Amino acid sequence: MSSASIEPWDLPTLDAAESHLRQSAFRPFHLRNLINGDLLAASSDCDSIASFNPKTGQQFASVPNSSPDVVDQAVRAAEQAFPAWAATSPSLRSQYLQRIAAGIEARRELFAVWESIDQGKTLARARVEIDRAVSNFRYFSTYILHQETHARWTDTNILTYEHRSPKGVFALISPWNMPLYLLTWKIAPCLAFGCTAVAKPSEVTSVSAYLLATVFQEAELPAGVINLVFGGGNPTGSALIRHPRVKGVSFTGGTATGRQIRRDTVDEIGKYLSLELGGKNPTLVFEDVDLEKAVATAAAAAFENQGEICLCGSRVYVQRSIWDAFLPRFVQYVRTNYVVGKNVGAVVSLPHYRKIRQYLTIAADDPATVFHLGSVPVETPESGYWIEPSILTVSDSSCLLKDEIFGPVVTLTPFDTEREAIEKANDSEYGLASVLLTNDGSRMRRVGEKIDAGLVWVNSWLVRELGTPFGGMKASGTGREGGEYSRDVFTTVRTLHIPQA
Ligand code: NAD
């Protein structure tokens, strides 16, 4: 096989993938869109976007920057497929979803290897996310077999009941931090509830979606039910969400993009928007904790996936009475357990590396800052985008307490009272997630129910049960997804009133 004809799916192990990428004759993979069941080479009106391996800085893929015409082609394919797909039985759709789950599971290592190469995450972390992508399909494949609906009788014996039907063609747009997991969190319920879709992964991490296209083909999903278009926010994403035949948008990404999507669809009252946006999540550590466990949970919440999880706790607030005991343990724990190149991956891209570096430079230039761990990384990295975990104390007015940095950077701040802890936690435009570390049972509820966050984890982090609502408050988004909440996203309800014959 010549290098040009080799595809990522021909290289299912880390050794095979890495030795292929090292060959002098290596040429970047050219990703193709999945439209109406076929993988199509980019048309001549599309330019392309270079995709890099964050661990080496090497370009390894070329992503088509799909034009509005290509997006239109994909939306029309989804629209054509919609009536037949919406009319299939839940049990048939369930079988397709099961086949997709099995298809990913059978290629677990292939997906994990390329997700790790594309995003910079460790292979171990990638495997966890691939398993969760499988769970997304499995969960919704069974959910649709056991749906309930409301029926009531009026006092004049008129039967009233809710009838749901799929909304139509959806635009599904995802970010770069957990590429396959977040994309399938949208695709699985969308297909399960009878909608068809055009999905667009982040242009920074598109390879796992490209692999997924082959799983859809193998599962013999009817043509057009799911289409994958690659490209940037502009033109591809923007053309997709504004397309008049798209009935709804499920978007995960940054708050600024969420605002733009809202502006771009403001005149289309009937277009449904589910927006899962950014976060700047607090971790509250109370004096009654078991210190070793609290340190481990706060560290995982801060540094898993290099801090590139929207749910990461990047603001840690510690009760002053345990500050002197917590701080050195936390620093030592992170130094030992979050080692760059071993259990901390590279950050996703050079622009993102520069963004994180800029925040660390701002912190370093402020005399009020203390670096307990980490330092400002070099301006131009030699090989790969590696950043050591940083633990800092900063002034109360620092932008490091306000802005989402989305990297391996965490601030530590003391507090005195429970009330102050809640105020500090809620002093943010965001409201996505939070971690509450305490052994006081009454405090768990007293504080937990006052934190402005869609998700509150007590003595835990990143626990997910897929039927529970997922989403944020304030600038972290609108809408919730998961179980029946996803059903609300992808179906429309009419209430029927039927008098006795
Ligand atoms: P981003 O907003 O830059 O991009 C997200 C996606 O939107 C990409 O696919 C991008 O191409 C697309 N896009 C960009 N502009 C668009 C436009 N005008 N119209 C339509 N699509 C457009 O975000 P990112 O940098 O890829 O991801 C990081 C952000 O995602 C962080 O803020 C993080 O907190 C957030 N995030 C949120 C969640 C959540 O569940 N709330 C989960 C993961 C990541």
Side-chain angles (χ1 to χ4, degrees), residues 189-419:
C190 178
L191 302 190
F193 293 115
C195 293
T196 58
V198 179
K200 190 199 87 62
S202 168
E203 63 277 25
V204 184
T205 53
S206 295
V207 172
S208 55
Y210 186 47
L211 296 173
L212 187 62
T214 63
V215 172
F216 292 142
Q217 287 181 319
E218 190 185 81
E220 296 183 353
L221 211 57
V225 166
I226 179 75
N227 304 273
L228 295 166
V229 292
F230 298 105
N234 261 311
T236 316
S238 177
L240 179 54
I241 57 108
R242 287 188 290 110
H243 198 292
R245 290 167 194 266
V246 164
K247 303 293 184 220
V249 177
S250 174
F251 170 82
T252 300
T255 296
T257 314
R259 288 197 177 102
Q260 185 63 46
I261 289 175
R262 226 186 212 185
R263 279 194 289 272
D264 287 348
T265 55
V266 74
D267 289 330
E268 296 173 272
I269 298 291
K271 190 171 274 189
Y272 185 93
L273 291 189
S274 172
L275 303 174
E276 304 286 1
L277 308 176
K280 182 74 182 174
N281 310 305
T283 296
L284 303 183
V285 190
F286 284 92
E287 62 191 358
D288 56 65
V289 288
D290 172 334
L291 264 185
E292 309 306 326
K293 283 188 191 161
V295 160
T297 306
F303 294 112
E304 270 301 310
N305 202 44
Q306 310 78 248
E308 294 174 328
I309 299 181
C310 56
L311 308 164
C312 277
S314 55
R315 295 182 287 145
V316 179
Y317 296 100
V318 182
Q319 199 151 19
R320 203 180 299 273
S321 50
I322 57 162
W323 175 265
D324 288 341
F326 183 87
L327 177 60
R329 281 180 172 79
F330 186 65
V331 171
Q332 188 52 42
Y333 185 89
V334 173
R335 188 180 279 130
T336 311
N337 292 285
Y338 289 91
V339 178
V340 163
K342 192 173 163 203
N343 30 31
V344 175
V347 303
V348 72
S349 65
L350 189 54
H352 195 56
Y353 174 96
R354 293 203 165 123
K355 176 188 156 183
I356 298 167
R357 182 182 180 277
Q358 193 183 355
Y359 277 103
L360 290 170
T361 307
I362 292 169
D365 288 347
D366 181 347
T369 302
V370 179
F371 274 80
H372 302 283
L373 190 69
S375 56
V376 179
V378 296
E379 188 173 355
T380 309
E382 262 178 31
S383 170
Y385 320 134
W386 302 95
I387 299 185
E388 303 271 347
S390 286
I391 301 172
L392 306 97
T393 44
V394 295
S395 65
D396 283 352
S397 59
S398 170
C399 61
L400 273 79
L401 283 169
K402 306 262 174 244
D403 300 352
E404 183 185 42
I405 301 172
F406 217 45
V409 179
V410 70
T411 59
L412 248 64
T413 309
F415 71 84
D416 288 298
T417 63
E418 197 175 284
R419 189 168 160 191

